[in-house]
Amino acid sequence: MIKRTLCFTNPAYLSLRDRQMVIRLPEVENSGAPDALKKEATRTVPVEDIGVVVLDNKQITMTHGLLEALLENNCAVITCDSRSLPVGLMLPLCGNTVQNERFREQISASLPLKKQLWQQTVKTKIANQAAVLAKHTGAGTGCMARWAADVRSGDPDNLEGRAAAYYWRNLFAAEPGLDGFTRDRQGPPPNNLLNYGYAILRAVVARSLVSSGMLPTLGIHHHNRYNAYCLADDIMEPYRPVVDDIVAGMVKDYDGKLPDGLTKEMKMTLLGIPVADVTIGGKRSPLMVAATQTTASLYKCFTGEARRIAYPEM
């Protein structure tokens, strides 16, 4: 089942009643509107239908009962800063009935296995980046194909970095004012669009890892001691080009003349990432469903039941 993504950008009171999220808008309740209109402004959403909640306003109040219910249903809750960029992610501590067993399989995974899994991850990421370049630019992708083919176990040659440098140098080069674009979290647009999109993607992947009974913290490659989502950052790599594809289309719509901030329309487009169509295993599937297939296959790799992670191909 495809879960819903809810984003709150205005002041709101969020509570729980009969396993439903109750949404009340103080701007309406405190206005002089008729009581009938105020009652109609209250909405409810079944908690079991929600997969991601984005809180993007400082005047949002959420009851503890609702928060507990969301986490019990494996919902990812994202909080945003004053620039509307995600800064926090909350996930359930337990998302699988045999979690202890799965933790042990993940922790005992050998270094050679992790290196092989990272090799698969980088190969697919570079191939997907090449597909995005071919779709949106006239840049050659022969070098990307060679780099993808040459990735060795653990990527000791850092072909991921070489491909990324070429990719970002060319993805927006044809757009007015974006020639020489550099991917930088603190950089000018469309970096903010990429940041927002990747944060949504990270939440979806982290949620899928938890539902598959794994620790998002213990990565196969990323190992920053301050990063609580190293595995999520590993597994989302081949999915990043899906976000890049969406952002590249948005940049074209604006003819490269992007506003400094994130507009409501931009956010709504990026919030569609969990339901974006991807191809996995030769079949089209919403990204949120595909991410669950990916994390399930990763666990099978840890147990020896499978040798490859199921990643999307663009």
Side-chain angles (χ1 to χ4, degrees):
M1 177 181 176
I2 303 175
K3 300 289 186 175
R4 298 177 62 177
T5 299
L6 303 182
C7 179
F8 298 94
T9 58
N10 293 314
Y13 297 136
L14 308 178
S15 60
L16 181 70
R17 185 179 67 221
D18 299 328
R19 305 303 296 174
Q20 304 266 326
M21 173 191 280
V22 180
I23 306 168
R24 294 162 46 215
L25 305 178
E27 293 178 343
V28 176
E29 292 187 351
N30 297 331
S31 68
D35 291 341
L37 181 60
K38 292 180 181 180
K39 186 174 182 180
E40 289 179 3
T42 300
R43 296 183 55 195
T44 60
V45 181
V47 170
E48 63 182 4
D49 292 348
I50 304 172
V52 179
V53 173
V54 181
L55 306 177
D56 188 11
N57 191 289
K58 295 184 182 300
Q59 298 182 56
I60 294 174
T61 301
M62 176 184 289
T63 66
H64 182 266
L66 174 60
L67 184 59
E68 177 186 1
L70 290 171
L71 294 177
E72 284 181 347
N73 282 271
N74 198 27
C75 176
V77 181
I78 301 172
T79 57
C80 299
D81 62 14
S82 57
R83 297 173 298 164
S84 293
L85 295 176
V87 293
L89 171 61
M90 184 176 293
L91 293 168
L93 286 175
C94 181
N96 191 283
T97 55
V98 289
Q99 184 165 289
N100 181 274
E101 175 186 327
R102 298 197 168 209
F103 280 3
R104 284 187 275 111
E105 294 284 1
Q106 179 185 354
I107 292 169
S108 63
S110 66
L111 182 59
L113 173 60
K114 292 178 183 179
K115 288 185 175 182
Q116 291 167 15
L117 296 178
W118 182 242
Q119 177 188 28
Q120 297 174 26
T121 301
V122 173
K123 278 178 172 286
T124 308
K125 177 184 180 181
I126 295 175
N128 287 347
Q129 286 178 324
V132 173
L133 274 186
K135 177 179 178 180
H136 292 281
T137 75
T141 58
C143 57
M144 300 280 285
R146 289 196 302 274
W147 291 329
D150 291 343
V151 176
R152 295 187 291 153
S153 179
D155 190 24
D157 307 306
N158 192 26
L159 293 178
E160 180 199 16
R162 190 182 306 181
Y166 179 83
Y167 177 72
W168 292 119
R169 188 166 63 247
N170 289 280
L171 183 56
F172 302 115
E175 301 300 329
L178 293 181
D179 186 22
F181 171 82
T182 300
R183 173 65 186 132
D184 181 356
R185 284 183 58 85
Q186 305 302 323
N191 277 294
N192 57 344
L193 299 179
L194 294 167
N195 293 343
Y196 196 93
Y198 291 154
I200 299 297
L201 174 61
R202 192 189 202 205
V204 171
V205 172
R207 175 185 177 276
S208 297
L209 286 167
V210 170
S211 68
S212 294
M214 286 176 286
L215 280 166
T217 303
L218 301 180
I220 56 176
H221 177 75
H222 288 91
H223 55 270
N224 188 314
R225 63 188 296 184
Y226 304 109
N227 185 358
Y229 298 100
C230 287
L231 186 58
D233 289 342
D234 288 332
I235 301 305
M236 69 183 275
E237 292 293 353
Y239 284 91
R240 285 180 183 267
V242 176
V243 177
D244 304 340
D245 180 30
I246 294 172
V247 171
M250 296 170 68
V251 170
K252 288 182 183 296
D253 290 341
Y254 280 85
D255 294 324
K257 301 174 183 177
L258 296 165
D260 291 333
L262 289 165
T263 66
K264 182 177 180 180
E265 291 73 21
M266 288 176 169
K267 293 178 188 176
M268 292 303 105
T269 299
L270 294 171
L271 287 168
I273 289 170
V275 295
D277 281 339
V278 299
T279 301
I280 185 167
K283 298 179 180 179
R284 295 190 70 79
S285 174
L287 186 146
M288 181 176 285
V289 175
T292 301
Q293 295 177 25
T294 296
T295 56
S297 69
L298 173 63
Y299 176 69
K300 289 182 179 180
C301 290
F302 285 149
T303 62
E305 298 176 59
R307 297 179 62 86
R308 297 193 63 81
I309 305 176
Y311 279 131
E313 297 179 353
M314 299 181 68

